Amino acid sequence: MIAKKIKEVITMGKETTNKIHEFNPQIYPFRLWVGKQVPYEEVEKKFWVLDDKENRCDFDRQYYERNKFVCATCYPVSDKESGWCGILMVIHSPKMMNVGKVAHEASHISDYLSDVLGMECYGFANGEPRAYFIEWCTNCIYDVFKGKVK
């Protein structure tokens, strides 16, 4: 009984890995999925990768695993079950991750959504929608990175 309690205390608060979290921005026809150290098999089972023309293709192991040497990567994807399209953002190296890299990846996600929806580039005078979307993406990524999403 005591050993079981000690094990619970030791594992409590440990960051979950291999889990893919789905986020819905509500106002855009888009999904964001964020995961940490997700194995190729999980990604390949759940998603199609989207090519530059938005065609669904098989997720290639080499394509996925070549990015394991960087901190994080964004992949345009389509969920095989629901059909939703969006971005899968994977944190490959949590030890290298920081708030700047979270913001960097959020910017890529925003760029993707702008491209897909045909939204023009934003400037200082009309950038508020983009800024709010980047803030939303950053919070989603940061919550997964910090283990705040279960």
Side-chain angles (χ1 to χ4, degrees):
M1 181 70 167
I2 292 175
K4 182 179 177 188
K5 211 46 155 168
I6 290 171
K7 185 177 180 185
E8 285 176 20
V9 170
I10 290 171
T11 58
M12 200 168 76
K14 285 216 176 185
E15 298 175 42
T16 27
T17 57
N18 305 346
K19 185 171 182 183
I20 299 169
H21 304 276
E22 181 176 314
F23 299 93
N24 178 352
Q26 303 295 319
I27 63 171
Y28 298 113
F30 169 89
R31 292 293 186 269
L32 171 61
W33 295 273
V34 181
K36 277 197 297 192
Q37 299 174 314
V38 182
Y40 165 76
E41 293 76 17
E42 291 299 312
V43 171
E44 191 271 335
K45 182 173 37 171
K46 183 166 178 53
F47 297 106
W48 300 104
V49 68
L50 299 175
D51 67 13
D52 58 350
K53 291 181 176 56
E54 298 296 307
N55 295 313
R56 292 175 171 99
C57 306
D58 289 329
F59 229 108
D60 180 60
R61 181 182 289 274
Q62 277 186 309
Y63 173 70
Y64 182 74
E65 291 185 348
R66 74 176 180 200
N67 291 315
K68 282 187 167 184
F69 300 104
V70 298
C71 181
T73 309
C74 292
Y75 304 92
V77 296
S78 174
D79 186 287
K80 288 182 176 180
E81 188 176 316
S82 71
W84 277 104
C85 292
I87 290 286
L88 167 64
M89 192 255 144
V90 178
I91 301 168
H92 297 292
S93 302
K95 289 181 180 178
M96 293 172 50
M97 202 68 175
N98 59 38
V99 73
K101 290 177 181 147
V102 170
H104 174 102
E105 297 304 323
S107 179
H108 286 310
I109 296 163
S110 177
D111 292 342
Y112 172 79
L113 183 66
S114 294
D115 288 349
V116 168
L117 297 180
M119 297 170 13
E120 296 297 318
C121 292
Y122 294 105
F124 186 75
N126 63 351
E128 204 65 17
R130 185 173 198 271
Y132 276 115
F133 185 69
I134 289 175
E135 177 184 355
W136 177 82
C137 292
T138 301
N139 286 331
C140 294
I141 297 166
Y142 189 77
D143 286 350
V144 172
F145 168 58
K146 287 297 191 180
K148 294 181 180 180
V149 181
K150 300 297 176 199

